[in-house]
Amino acid sequence: MSSAIDIAASVQSGERSALEVVEEHLGAIAERESEVHAFNLVTTDHAIAAASAVDELVAKGGPLGPLAGVPVAIKDNLCTRGVATTCSSKILEGWVPPYDATVVTRLAAAGAIMVGKTNMDEFAMGSSTENSAFGPTRNPHDLSRVPGGSSGGSAAAVAAGFAPISLGSDTGGSIRQPAALCGVVGVKPTYGTVSRLGLIAFGSSLDQVGPFANSVAEAALVCEVIGGHDPGDSTSLPQAFPAVSEHLSDGVAGMRIGLITEMMGEGIAPDVAKRIRAAAEWLAAAGAEVEEVSVPAVTFGLSAYYLVAPAEASSNLSRYDGVRYGLRVEAPTTGEMMELTRTAGFGDEVKRRIMLGTYALSAGYYDAFYGTALKVRTLIRRDFDKAYERFDALLSPTSPTTAFSFGDKTADPMSMYLNDVCTIATNLAGHPAMSVPYGLGDDGMPVGAQVLAPALGEVAMFRVAAVLEGSLA
Amino acid sequence: MTEPTSQERTHTPASTSERITTEQVAKVAKLARLRLTEEELTRFTGQLGDVLEHAADLDLLDLEGVEPMAQPIPLANVFRKDVPGPILDRDEVLAVAPAAEDGFFRVPPVLGESE
């Protein structure tokens, strides 16, 4: 399958039609989707109509966007007007959004063609896509293993060649971890650089939309297309997305890169740590100054996150009450209707997080839990700031292990949460980070290297990522 | 949601090292409008206890004088211009609601709830 960049070039030049490109990808989906289950919905009719519209533009001589004719898979927590959006939850059954998320509008304006809505952990809560109400997605590299999560469907769609690019959302690692487990590139941009309008909210101070792709250059292009100010999102920064594409071949000579000590020891599988050390050596060989650096507060990230994110989720998910959208379980009174609807509509993990958040925010516990977690967030930010006084970017594993098997971690939520140990601190700080495939573990499954940068440090981050990618070429 | 009673409001400040009880989980479920079976109540209490026990490591930190950080960016009081713009189409919104009537969302009787 060709890259998004090659597809756009060939569609723009008239060498290939968008329809031909889309049909090729729909063919790939038809061939393997039944075993991978990357999608909640394949939007065949929509894709064919959108491709024909692009081809008409080509015939008329444009104007054509930078993603003309490029198939894209969209995580099912991004609103798509007229196309069912479920968050992989029974509670949104039957709901069809009356508007498009800003990122969906921008992709369409750039000529990209949605081929489907991807499976995910319900309401983006999970690290394996096993929490989907519609069944799990399987890792295209080994169907007996999870693709990671929560954006497991979007990662698997790219890894399986169903679409060259896809969108996910990342609240605590939900783009980077599945990217690592599926062997693709995944980017979590700086908080505020990509609009959240139309992203169904989980943890509003943590959520950020970002791309999956097979290469760093494709991911950079998608960031530039979807990023930049949106007046419809009050947390959107009033500036364009950093111009990353033009710096991809700048190299890392003279850059200072820190290997995070706390993410290389206990809890990290030795084969994963070995690959990340190899990545550090490669960067040093490419001319970067690479040193270990301690970022002590990141070890408290998991604890802080599992108070902050559920607290925000408990508030955000209170809107699912059977009144305005989705499921309603009929009952004699509104109060009972709401309780029965929520009880029937939410899965176990969502219920756990809602209860945890409600508890962390409740009278008498607010200061001890939520209040404490917010202060720890400040400490994490401070420790990162201190590291970034000495380093342009940081390096760590994305996930402590390669892809695990189905059912391995479902009985014990805490063991599942530990998958996010390397990714969570980034969201608490509001910083960008991305995962780049960096070889294979002892089991032959992909390992992801995580590149972290300070707020709006995307240029440095992509430069490092491009050099890592180049070492495998 | 019911207002907390004065007795609840004057609750002694909690410590993160206390293990959550089934009574507390039952109360939280009620506040969150979730109905739990006995089996779920037992299972969730254990699982929530494990997460909170992990979070007890935060007690090790000296947080004296540390400012809380509720969100990561320096924007505050973001307003739009007070001019009319496009809004969602009412019929389109109500068409996907569980029940609607005369331009409104329709719900069962609100009064007569048994708490």
Side-chain angles (χ1 to χ4, degrees), chain A residues 82-117:
Chain A
V83 176
T85 298
T86 69
C87 283
S88 289
S89 180
K90 281 189 281 185
I91 211 156
L92 275 171
E93 207 170 79
W95 186 62
V96 179
Y99 69 104
D100 278 324
T102 298
V103 291
V104 169
T105 306
R106 288 185 180 178
L107 279 177
I113 290 157
M114 177 171 74
V115 292
K117 301 295 297 284

PDB file of all heavy atoms in Angstrom, chain A residues 82-117:
ATOM      1  N   GLY A  82     -24.126  12.750  10.478  1.00  0.00           N
ATOM      2  CA  GLY A  82     -24.873  11.783   9.680  1.00  0.00           C
ATOM      3  C   GLY A  82     -24.320  10.367   9.739  1.00  0.00           C
ATOM      4  O   GLY A  82     -24.871   9.468   9.113  1.00  0.00           O
ATOM      5  N   VAL A  83     -23.217  10.158  10.458  1.00  0.00           N
ATOM      6  CA  VAL A  83     -22.607   8.829  10.576  1.00  0.00           C
ATOM      7  C   VAL A  83     -22.526   8.449  12.058  1.00  0.00           C
ATOM      8  O   VAL A  83     -21.947   9.197  12.859  1.00  0.00           O
ATOM      9  CB  VAL A  83     -21.185   8.807   9.953  1.00  0.00           C
ATOM     10  CG1 VAL A  83     -20.518   7.455  10.157  1.00  0.00           C
ATOM     11  CG2 VAL A  83     -21.242   9.159   8.467  1.00  0.00           C
ATOM     12  N   ALA A  84     -23.119   7.310  12.415  1.00  0.00           N
ATOM     13  CA  ALA A  84     -23.202   6.888  13.814  1.00  0.00           C
ATOM     14  C   ALA A  84     -21.850   6.993  14.504  1.00  0.00           C
ATOM     15  O   ALA A  84     -20.808   6.661  13.930  1.00  0.00           O
ATOM     16  CB  ALA A  84     -23.715   5.455  13.887  1.00  0.00           C
ATOM     17  N   THR A  85     -21.870   7.478  15.731  1.00  0.00           N
ATOM     18  CA  THR A  85     -20.671   7.658  16.552  1.00  0.00           C
ATOM     19  C   THR A  85     -20.992   7.069  17.913  1.00  0.00           C
ATOM     20  O   THR A  85     -21.927   7.514  18.572  1.00  0.00           O
ATOM     21  CB  THR A  85     -20.336   9.169  16.646  1.00  0.00           C
ATOM     22  OG1 THR A  85     -20.054   9.642  15.326  1.00  0.00           O
ATOM     23  CG2 THR A  85     -19.144   9.414  17.538  1.00  0.00           C
ATOM     24  N   THR A  86     -20.231   6.031  18.318  1.00  0.00           N
ATOM     25  CA  THR A  86     -20.674   5.248  19.476  1.00  0.00           C
ATOM     26  C   THR A  86     -19.763   5.294  20.692  1.00  0.00           C
ATOM     27  O   THR A  86     -20.181   4.873  21.775  1.00  0.00           O
ATOM     28  CB  THR A  86     -20.793   3.752  19.095  1.00  0.00           C
ATOM     29  OG1 THR A  86     -19.470   3.234  18.861  1.00  0.00           O
ATOM     30  CG2 THR A  86     -21.651   3.551  17.857  1.00  0.00           C
ATOM     31  N   CYS A  87     -18.505   5.728  20.554  1.00  0.00           N
ATOM     32  CA  CYS A  87     -17.529   5.581  21.639  1.00  0.00           C
ATOM     33  C   CYS A  87     -17.438   4.114  22.077  1.00  0.00           C
ATOM     34  O   CYS A  87     -17.053   3.827  23.207  1.00  0.00           O
ATOM     35  CB  CYS A  87     -17.866   6.455  22.841  1.00  0.00           C
ATOM     36  SG  CYS A  87     -17.456   8.179  22.611  1.00  0.00           S
ATOM     37  N   SER A  88     -17.796   3.188  21.199  1.00  0.00           N
ATOM     38  CA  SER A  88     -17.832   1.748  21.526  1.00  0.00           C
ATOM     39  C   SER A  88     -18.617   1.479  22.803  1.00  0.00           C
ATOM     40  O   SER A  88     -18.263   0.625  23.613  1.00  0.00           O
ATOM     41  CB  SER A  88     -16.421   1.154  21.626  1.00  0.00           C
ATOM     42  OG  SER A  88     -15.826   1.069  20.345  1.00  0.00           O
ATOM     43  N   SER A  89     -19.706   2.256  22.968  1.00  0.00           N
ATOM     44  CA  SER A  89     -20.555   2.105  24.151  1.00  0.00           C
ATOM     45  C   SER A  89     -21.991   1.848  23.741  1.00  0.00           C
ATOM     46  O   SER A  89     -22.480   2.424  22.761  1.00  0.00           O
ATOM     47  CB  SER A  89     -20.517   3.392  24.993  1.00  0.00           C
ATOM     48  OG  SER A  89     -21.337   3.250  26.132  1.00  0.00           O
ATOM     49  N   LYS A  90     -22.666   1.003  24.524  1.00  0.00           N
ATOM     50  CA  LYS A  90     -24.083   0.755  24.262  1.00  0.00           C
ATOM     51  C   LYS A  90     -24.923   1.993  24.558  1.00  0.00           C
ATOM     52  O   LYS A  90     -26.026   2.147  24.057  1.00  0.00           O
ATOM     53  CB  LYS A  90     -24.572  -0.421  25.118  1.00  0.00           C
ATOM     54  CG  LYS A  90     -24.181  -1.765  24.542  1.00  0.00           C
ATOM     55  CD  LYS A  90     -24.867  -2.903  25.281  1.00  0.00           C
ATOM     56  CE  LYS A  90     -24.143  -3.187  26.584  1.00  0.00           C
ATOM     57  NZ  LYS A  90     -24.646  -4.335  27.323  1.00  0.00           N
ATOM     58  N   ILE A  91     -24.360   2.904  25.393  1.00  0.00           N
ATOM     59  CA  ILE A  91     -25.184   4.047  25.812  1.00  0.00           C
ATOM     60  C   ILE A  91     -25.404   5.045  24.674  1.00  0.00           C
ATOM     61  O   ILE A  91     -26.324   5.860  24.735  1.00  0.00           O
ATOM     62  CB  ILE A  91     -24.608   4.730  27.073  1.00  0.00           C
ATOM     63  CG1 ILE A  91     -25.754   5.327  27.889  1.00  0.00           C
ATOM     64  CG2 ILE A  91     -23.563   5.798  26.731  1.00  0.00           C
ATOM     65  CD1 ILE A  91     -25.474   5.515  29.346  1.00  0.00           C
ATOM     66  N   LEU A  92     -24.560   5.009  23.636  1.00  0.00           N
ATOM     67  CA  LEU A  92     -24.768   5.918  22.504  1.00  0.00           C
ATOM     68  C   LEU A  92     -25.451   5.228  21.324  1.00  0.00           C
ATOM     69  O   LEU A  92     -25.503   5.773  20.217  1.00  0.00           O
ATOM     70  CB  LEU A  92     -23.434   6.548  22.075  1.00  0.00           C
ATOM     71  CG  LEU A  92     -23.054   7.794  22.881  1.00  0.00           C
ATOM     72  CD1 LEU A  92     -21.644   8.254  22.571  1.00  0.00           C
ATOM     73  CD2 LEU A  92     -24.042   8.924  22.622  1.00  0.00           C
ATOM     74  N   GLU A  93     -25.980   4.035  21.590  1.00  0.00           N
ATOM     75  CA  GLU A  93     -26.674   3.265  20.561  1.00  0.00           C
ATOM     76  C   GLU A  93     -27.707   4.115  19.833  1.00  0.00           C
ATOM     77  O   GLU A  93     -28.531   4.781  20.457  1.00  0.00           O
ATOM     78  CB  GLU A  93     -27.388   2.094  21.244  1.00  0.00           C
ATOM     79  CG  GLU A  93     -27.601   0.885  20.381  1.00  0.00           C
ATOM     80  CD  GLU A  93     -28.099  -0.269  21.242  1.00  0.00           C
ATOM     81  OE1 GLU A  93     -29.303  -0.284  21.567  1.00  0.00           O
ATOM     82  OE2 GLU A  93     -27.271  -1.114  21.609  1.00  0.00           O
ATOM     83  N   GLY A  94     -27.625   4.103  18.514  1.00  0.00           N
ATOM     84  CA  GLY A  94     -28.640   4.794  17.725  1.00  0.00           C
ATOM     85  C   GLY A  94     -28.407   6.286  17.559  1.00  0.00           C
ATOM     86  O   GLY A  94     -29.178   6.967  16.889  1.00  0.00           O
ATOM     87  N   TRP A  95     -27.342   6.806  18.165  1.00  0.00           N
ATOM     88  CA  TRP A  95     -27.111   8.243  18.058  1.00  0.00           C
ATOM     89  C   TRP A  95     -26.337   8.588  16.794  1.00  0.00           C
ATOM     90  O   TRP A  95     -25.364   7.911  16.450  1.00  0.00           O
ATOM     91  CB  TRP A  95     -26.337   8.757  19.280  1.00  0.00           C
ATOM     92  CG  TRP A  95     -26.199  10.252  19.270  1.00  0.00           C
ATOM     93  CD1 TRP A  95     -27.221  11.166  19.307  1.00  0.00           C
ATOM     94  CD2 TRP A  95     -24.989  11.003  19.200  1.00  0.00           C
ATOM     95  NE1 TRP A  95     -26.712  12.436  19.258  1.00  0.00           N
ATOM     96  CE2 TRP A  95     -25.345  12.376  19.198  1.00  0.00           C
ATOM     97  CE3 TRP A  95     -23.642  10.662  19.138  1.00  0.00           C
ATOM     98  CZ2 TRP A  95     -24.399  13.397  19.137  1.00  0.00           C
ATOM     99  CZ3 TRP A  95     -22.698  11.686  19.086  1.00  0.00           C
ATOM    100  CH2 TRP A  95     -23.081  13.043  19.085  1.00  0.00           C
ATOM    101  N   VAL A  96     -26.774   9.623  16.112  1.00  0.00           N
ATOM    102  CA  VAL A  96     -26.091  10.107  14.921  1.00  0.00           C
ATOM    103  C   VAL A  96     -25.777  11.584  15.149  1.00  0.00           C
ATOM    104  O   VAL A  96     -26.689  12.383  15.337  1.00  0.00           O
ATOM    105  CB  VAL A  96     -26.972   9.927  13.665  1.00  0.00           C
ATOM    106  CG1 VAL A  96     -26.266  10.466  12.433  1.00  0.00           C
ATOM    107  CG2 VAL A  96     -27.331   8.454  13.474  1.00  0.00           C
ATOM    108  N   PRO A  97     -24.497  11.960  15.173  1.00  0.00           N
ATOM    109  CA  PRO A  97     -24.153  13.350  15.502  1.00  0.00           C
ATOM    110  C   PRO A  97     -24.711  14.343  14.492  1.00  0.00           C
ATOM    111  O   PRO A  97     -24.681  14.085  13.286  1.00  0.00           O
ATOM    112  CB  PRO A  97     -22.618  13.364  15.448  1.00  0.00           C
ATOM    113  CG  PRO A  97     -22.194  11.953  15.573  1.00  0.00           C
ATOM    114  CD  PRO A  97     -23.297  11.128  14.976  1.00  0.00           C
ATOM    115  N   PRO A  98     -25.208  15.481  14.978  1.00  0.00           N
ATOM    116  CA  PRO A  98     -25.687  16.532  14.071  1.00  0.00           C
ATOM    117  C   PRO A  98     -24.573  17.468  13.604  1.00  0.00           C
ATOM    118  O   PRO A  98     -24.862  18.486  12.987  1.00  0.00           O
ATOM    119  CB  PRO A  98     -26.719  17.270  14.932  1.00  0.00           C
ATOM    120  CG  PRO A  98     -26.258  17.077  16.334  1.00  0.00           C
ATOM    121  CD  PRO A  98     -25.508  15.769  16.388  1.00  0.00           C
ATOM    122  N   TYR A  99     -23.329  17.161  13.917  1.00  0.00           N
ATOM    123  CA  TYR A  99     -22.223  18.010  13.444  1.00  0.00           C
ATOM    124  C   TYR A  99     -20.944  17.193  13.354  1.00  0.00           C
ATOM    125  O   TYR A  99     -20.847  16.118  13.930  1.00  0.00           O
ATOM    126  CB  TYR A  99     -22.026  19.227  14.360  1.00  0.00           C
ATOM    127  CG  TYR A  99     -21.501  18.902  15.740  1.00  0.00           C
ATOM    128  CD1 TYR A  99     -20.159  19.161  16.066  1.00  0.00           C
ATOM    129  CD2 TYR A  99     -22.306  18.343  16.717  1.00  0.00           C
ATOM    130  CE1 TYR A  99     -19.666  18.868  17.329  1.00  0.00           C
ATOM    131  CE2 TYR A  99     -21.817  18.045  17.978  1.00  0.00           C
ATOM    132  CZ  TYR A  99     -20.502  18.310  18.283  1.00  0.00           C
ATOM    133  OH  TYR A  99     -20.016  18.009  19.526  1.00  0.00           O
ATOM    134  N   ASP A 100     -19.957  17.747  12.609  1.00  0.00           N
ATOM    135  CA  ASP A 100     -18.646  17.121  12.481  1.00  0.00           C
ATOM    136  C   ASP A 100     -17.671  17.717  13.495  1.00  0.00           C
ATOM    137  O   ASP A 100     -17.689  18.926  13.739  1.00  0.00           O
ATOM    138  CB  ASP A 100     -18.057  17.398  11.079  1.00  0.00           C
ATOM    139  CG  ASP A 100     -18.579  16.460  10.009  1.00  0.00           C
ATOM    140  OD1 ASP A 100     -18.795  15.271  10.322  1.00  0.00           O
ATOM    141  OD2 ASP A 100     -18.768  16.911   8.870  1.00  0.00           O
ATOM    142  N   ALA A 101     -16.790  16.890  14.025  1.00  0.00           N
ATOM    143  CA  ALA A 101     -15.667  17.403  14.805  1.00  0.00           C
ATOM    144  C   ALA A 101     -14.823  18.282  13.886  1.00  0.00           C
ATOM    145  O   ALA A 101     -14.744  18.030  12.676  1.00  0.00           O
ATOM    146  CB  ALA A 101     -14.821  16.245  15.321  1.00  0.00           C
ATOM    147  N   THR A 102     -14.190  19.292  14.448  1.00  0.00           N
ATOM    148  CA  THR A 102     -13.360  20.193  13.642  1.00  0.00           C
ATOM    149  C   THR A 102     -12.272  19.421  12.892  1.00  0.00           C
ATOM    150  O   THR A 102     -11.996  19.697  11.722  1.00  0.00           O
ATOM    151  CB  THR A 102     -12.719  21.266  14.541  1.00  0.00           C
ATOM    152  OG1 THR A 102     -13.772  22.027  15.135  1.00  0.00           O
ATOM    153  CG2 THR A 102     -11.808  22.200  13.745  1.00  0.00           C
ATOM    154  N   VAL A 103     -11.665  18.424  13.543  1.00  0.00           N
ATOM    155  CA  VAL A 103     -10.600  17.660  12.865  1.00  0.00           C
ATOM    156  C   VAL A 103     -11.149  16.884  11.669  1.00  0.00           C
ATOM    157  O   VAL A 103     -10.449  16.709  10.669  1.00  0.00           O
ATOM    158  CB  VAL A 103      -9.876  16.698  13.838  1.00  0.00           C
ATOM    159  CG1 VAL A 103      -9.049  17.490  14.850  1.00  0.00           C
ATOM    160  CG2 VAL A 103     -10.845  15.764  14.551  1.00  0.00           C
ATOM    161  N   VAL A 104     -12.388  16.448  11.763  1.00  0.00           N
ATOM    162  CA  VAL A 104     -13.020  15.720  10.657  1.00  0.00           C
ATOM    163  C   VAL A 104     -13.278  16.688   9.497  1.00  0.00           C
ATOM    164  O   VAL A 104     -13.006  16.372   8.333  1.00  0.00           O
ATOM    165  CB  VAL A 104     -14.326  15.051  11.141  1.00  0.00           C
ATOM    166  CG1 VAL A 104     -15.146  14.512   9.971  1.00  0.00           C
ATOM    167  CG2 VAL A 104     -14.008  13.941  12.139  1.00  0.00           C
ATOM    168  N   THR A 105     -13.769  17.888   9.819  1.00  0.00           N
ATOM    169  CA  THR A 105     -13.999  18.918   8.807  1.00  0.00           C
ATOM    170  C   THR A 105     -12.697  19.260   8.093  1.00  0.00           C
ATOM    171  O   THR A 105     -12.650  19.382   6.868  1.00  0.00           O
ATOM    172  CB  THR A 105     -14.556  20.201   9.473  1.00  0.00           C
ATOM    173  OG1 THR A 105     -15.705  19.848  10.243  1.00  0.00           O
ATOM    174  CG2 THR A 105     -14.931  21.250   8.445  1.00  0.00           C
ATOM    175  N   ARG A 106     -11.619  19.403   8.873  1.00  0.00           N
ATOM    176  CA  ARG A 106     -10.328  19.808   8.280  1.00  0.00           C
ATOM    177  C   ARG A 106      -9.740  18.701   7.402  1.00  0.00           C
ATOM    178  O   ARG A 106      -9.162  18.993   6.355  1.00  0.00           O
ATOM    179  CB  ARG A 106      -9.346  20.209   9.388  1.00  0.00           C
ATOM    180  CG  ARG A 106      -9.752  21.541  10.004  1.00  0.00           C
ATOM    181  CD  ARG A 106      -8.758  22.054  11.021  1.00  0.00           C
ATOM    182  NE  ARG A 106      -9.255  23.332  11.553  1.00  0.00           N
ATOM    183  CZ  ARG A 106      -8.654  24.044  12.487  1.00  0.00           C
ATOM    184  NH1 ARG A 106      -7.513  23.628  13.010  1.00  0.00           N
ATOM    185  NH2 ARG A 106      -9.177  25.174  12.909  1.00  0.00           N
ATOM    186  N   LEU A 107      -9.895  17.458   7.818  1.00  0.00           N
ATOM    187  CA  LEU A 107      -9.404  16.354   6.983  1.00  0.00           C
ATOM    188  C   LEU A 107     -10.157  16.325   5.661  1.00  0.00           C
ATOM    189  O   LEU A 107      -9.561  16.171   4.589  1.00  0.00           O
ATOM    190  CB  LEU A 107      -9.581  15.015   7.702  1.00  0.00           C
ATOM    191  CG  LEU A 107      -8.537  14.634   8.741  1.00  0.00           C
ATOM    192  CD1 LEU A 107      -8.920  13.320   9.399  1.00  0.00           C
ATOM    193  CD2 LEU A 107      -7.142  14.526   8.129  1.00  0.00           C
ATOM    194  N   ALA A 108     -11.488  16.485   5.736  1.00  0.00           N
ATOM    195  CA  ALA A 108     -12.301  16.460   4.521  1.00  0.00           C
ATOM    196  C   ALA A 108     -11.921  17.623   3.609  1.00  0.00           C
ATOM    197  O   ALA A 108     -11.795  17.460   2.390  1.00  0.00           O
ATOM    198  CB  ALA A 108     -13.781  16.508   4.874  1.00  0.00           C
ATOM    199  N   ALA A 109     -11.694  18.786   4.201  1.00  0.00           N
ATOM    200  CA  ALA A 109     -11.320  19.967   3.402  1.00  0.00           C
ATOM    201  C   ALA A 109      -9.974  19.753   2.717  1.00  0.00           C
ATOM    202  O   ALA A 109      -9.716  20.318   1.653  1.00  0.00           O
ATOM    203  CB  ALA A 109     -11.280  21.205   4.285  1.00  0.00           C
ATOM    204  N   ALA A 110      -9.117  18.934   3.324  1.00  0.00           N
ATOM    205  CA  ALA A 110      -7.803  18.642   2.740  1.00  0.00           C
ATOM    206  C   ALA A 110      -7.888  17.530   1.693  1.00  0.00           C
ATOM    207  O   ALA A 110      -6.871  17.148   1.116  1.00  0.00           O
ATOM    208  CB  ALA A 110      -6.817  18.259   3.835  1.00  0.00           C
ATOM    209  N   GLY A 111      -9.089  16.996   1.502  1.00  0.00           N
ATOM    210  CA  GLY A 111      -9.283  15.982   0.475  1.00  0.00           C
ATOM    211  C   GLY A 111      -9.262  14.550   0.977  1.00  0.00           C
ATOM    212  O   GLY A 111      -9.422  13.605   0.198  1.00  0.00           O
ATOM    213  N   ALA A 112      -9.060  14.352   2.286  1.00  0.00           N
ATOM    214  CA  ALA A 112      -9.017  12.997   2.839  1.00  0.00           C
ATOM    215  C   ALA A 112     -10.409  12.375   2.795  1.00  0.00           C
ATOM    216  O   ALA A 112     -11.417  13.083   2.845  1.00  0.00           O
ATOM    217  CB  ALA A 112      -8.494  13.017   4.266  1.00  0.00           C
ATOM    218  N   ILE A 113     -10.443  11.049   2.729  1.00  0.00           N
ATOM    219  CA  ILE A 113     -11.709  10.331   2.580  1.00  0.00           C
ATOM    220  C   ILE A 113     -11.896   9.336   3.717  1.00  0.00           C
ATOM    221  O   ILE A 113     -11.116   8.391   3.869  1.00  0.00           O
ATOM    222  CB  ILE A 113     -11.736   9.626   1.215  1.00  0.00           C
ATOM    223  CG1 ILE A 113     -11.865  10.718   0.137  1.00  0.00           C
ATOM    224  CG2 ILE A 113     -12.887   8.630   1.121  1.00  0.00           C
ATOM    225  CD1 ILE A 113     -11.392  10.305  -1.193  1.00  0.00           C
ATOM    226  N   MET A 114     -12.929   9.574   4.525  1.00  0.00           N
ATOM    227  CA  MET A 114     -13.180   8.676   5.651  1.00  0.00           C
ATOM    228  C   MET A 114     -13.661   7.312   5.156  1.00  0.00           C
ATOM    229  O   MET A 114     -14.628   7.239   4.404  1.00  0.00           O
ATOM    230  CB  MET A 114     -14.226   9.283   6.578  1.00  0.00           C
ATOM    231  CG  MET A 114     -14.608   8.368   7.736  1.00  0.00           C
ATOM    232  SD  MET A 114     -15.633   9.182   8.966  1.00  0.00           S
ATOM    233  CE  MET A 114     -17.200   9.258   8.111  1.00  0.00           C
ATOM    234  N   VAL A 115     -12.972   6.253   5.591  1.00  0.00           N
ATOM    235  CA  VAL A 115     -13.407   4.906   5.196  1.00  0.00           C
ATOM    236  C   VAL A 115     -14.103   4.167   6.333  1.00  0.00           C
ATOM    237  O   VAL A 115     -14.698   3.110   6.113  1.00  0.00           O
ATOM    238  CB  VAL A 115     -12.241   4.035   4.667  1.00  0.00           C
ATOM    239  CG1 VAL A 115     -11.736   4.573   3.341  1.00  0.00           C
ATOM    240  CG2 VAL A 115     -11.112   3.936   5.683  1.00  0.00           C
ATOM    241  N   GLY A 116     -14.034   4.717   7.561  1.00  0.00           N
ATOM    242  CA  GLY A 116     -14.741   4.050   8.643  1.00  0.00           C
ATOM    243  C   GLY A 116     -14.473   4.665   9.998  1.00  0.00           C
ATOM    244  O   GLY A 116     -13.593   5.516  10.144  1.00  0.00           O
ATOM    245  N   LYS A 117     -15.286   4.219  10.980  1.00  0.00           N
ATOM    246  CA  LYS A 117     -15.146   4.658  12.365  1.00  0.00           C
ATOM    247  C   LYS A 117     -14.522   3.491  13.144  1.00  0.00           C
ATOM    248  O   LYS A 117     -15.018   2.364  13.082  1.00  0.00           O
ATOM    249  CB  LYS A 117     -16.531   4.997  12.952  1.00  0.00           C
ATOM    250  CG  LYS A 117     -17.279   6.078  12.201  1.00  0.00           C
ATOM    251  CD  LYS A 117     -16.611   7.454  12.238  1.00  0.00           C
ATOM    252  CE  LYS A 117     -16.470   8.091  13.610  1.00  0.00           C
ATOM    253  NZ  LYS A 117     -17.696   8.655  14.161  1.00  0.00           N
TER     254      LYS A 117
END
